[in-house]
Amino acid sequence: MKDMSMEILGIDVGGSGIKAAIVEVSTGDLVSRHRHFVTPQPATPEALIRTIGELVADFHWQGPVGCGFPAVVSHGIVRTAANIDPSWIGIDIESLLKLETGCQCHVVNDADAAGLAEVKFGSAENCSGSVLMLTLGTGIGSALFYDGELFPNLELGALPFQGSTAEGYAAASVRTAKKLSWQAWSTRLNSFFVHVERMLSPELIVIGGGVSQRHEKFFHLLDTRAPIVPARLFNLAGIVGAAHFAFEQESSAG
Ligand code: BGC
């Protein structure tokens, strides 16, 4: 059997912090401590690329890098900027990261990365059929899988909803900003899930993002046809999935 073991530096870029660790991609285990850097503000391309360069140097890393990024990323190019600096649109993030770090860098949407980790090593491991991963944080990230295969860049959080967008109405950040009770926030989530289930009929819904660690506060208030489970890798899913994505890209490039 082909030896699938390989270490890759996984990075998860978020609005306030950037997390990273070296991941053994055959098991999804972290083989280094995970480190946390503050996201520069404003998070312009120059500032963020420099910070990621410092992070890669801090790990003395020279191998492949996988990076989850909170936007639509298509063939290494950033296409949207709902929760990031608008100057990112059109930027070839993979080429800039390679220039800065000297490493082969592969960039993927952050929710797609988290979903990949959950499908390979977490709550949706070995699940056939359709699995929807939703990350509830500053925004709403979404990732759709069928028989373990990713349909990339699904942006359910960007759906026009209740005079705003789905994420503007129901993200976890809205609960804290508006000081909503768990019940009131869950009612918002349920109205979003009605549309999601009507469109996609997922057979399993995995909830990630920081708030998934507090699932006992609100899962019993959710009313979906599909079973809902919390992400098993919690806030490390983005790192692990980004590394796994890089592994897949490296493998398909031969
Ligand atoms: C972005 C998505 C991202 C999500 C979670 C949204 O604002 O449009 O691409 O996955 O936030 O970070």
Side-chain angles (χ1 to χ4, degrees), residues 11 33 47 93 210:
I11 303 176
R33 263 190 328 117
I93 185 171

Side-chain angles (χ1 to χ4, degrees), residues 104-240:
Q104 198 64 46
C105 295
H106 303 279
V107 182
V108 59
N109 171 265
D110 58 350
D112 286 350
L116 278 170
E118 290 297 325
V119 162
K120 299 288 171 196
F121 310 109
S123 294
E125 193 180 0
N126 300 324
C127 280
S128 57
S130 56
V131 174
L132 178 67
M133 166 102 197
L134 292 174
T135 62
L136 304 176
T138 310
I140 294 182
S142 49
L144 185 64
F145 295 83
Y146 190 76
D147 282 351
E149 290 295 322
L150 172 69
F151 179 95
N153 290 313
L154 182 77
E155 287 278 316
L156 292 181
L159 280 176
F161 201 70
Q162 300 281 349
S164 170
T165 56
E167 65 184 8
Y169 182 70
S173 58
V174 176
R175 185 185 70 84
T176 36
K178 292 196 178 296
K179 300 189 171 57
L180 299 177
S181 65
W182 290 101
Q183 175 67 69
W185 180 55
S186 299
T187 302
R188 288 183 176 223
L189 279 177
N190 282 332
S191 61
F192 168 57
F193 284 142
V194 168
H195 292 273
V196 169
E197 292 210 287
R198 195 175 292 158
M199 283 186 294
L200 300 172
S201 298
E203 288 159 291
L204 177 70
I205 300 175
V206 183
I207 301 289
V211 76
S212 67
Q213 299 188 41
R214 305 177 74 190
H215 56 90
E216 75 291 347
K217 295 269 187 206
F218 67 104
F219 269 30
H220 63 286
L221 302 170
L222 299 179
D223 180 22
T224 55
R225 279 200 313 267
I228 294 209
V229 292
R232 198 192 296 160
L233 287 94
F234 290 124
N235 61 351
L236 297 180
I239 296 176
V240 173

Side-chain angles (χ1 to χ4, degrees), residues 37-50:
F37 277 52
V38 173
T39 306
Q41 301 297 343
T44 56
E46 298 73 31
L48 199 57
I49 296 282
R50 205 177 319 117

Side-chain angles (χ1 to χ4, degrees), residues 78-99:
V78 179
R79 294 294 181 197
T80 59
N83 271 319
I84 55 170
D85 197 89
S87 59
W88 273 102
I89 292 184
I91 295 281
D92 183 343
I93 185 171
E94 280 187 357
S95 300
L96 289 184
L97 282 178
K98 186 174 181 188
L99 260 181

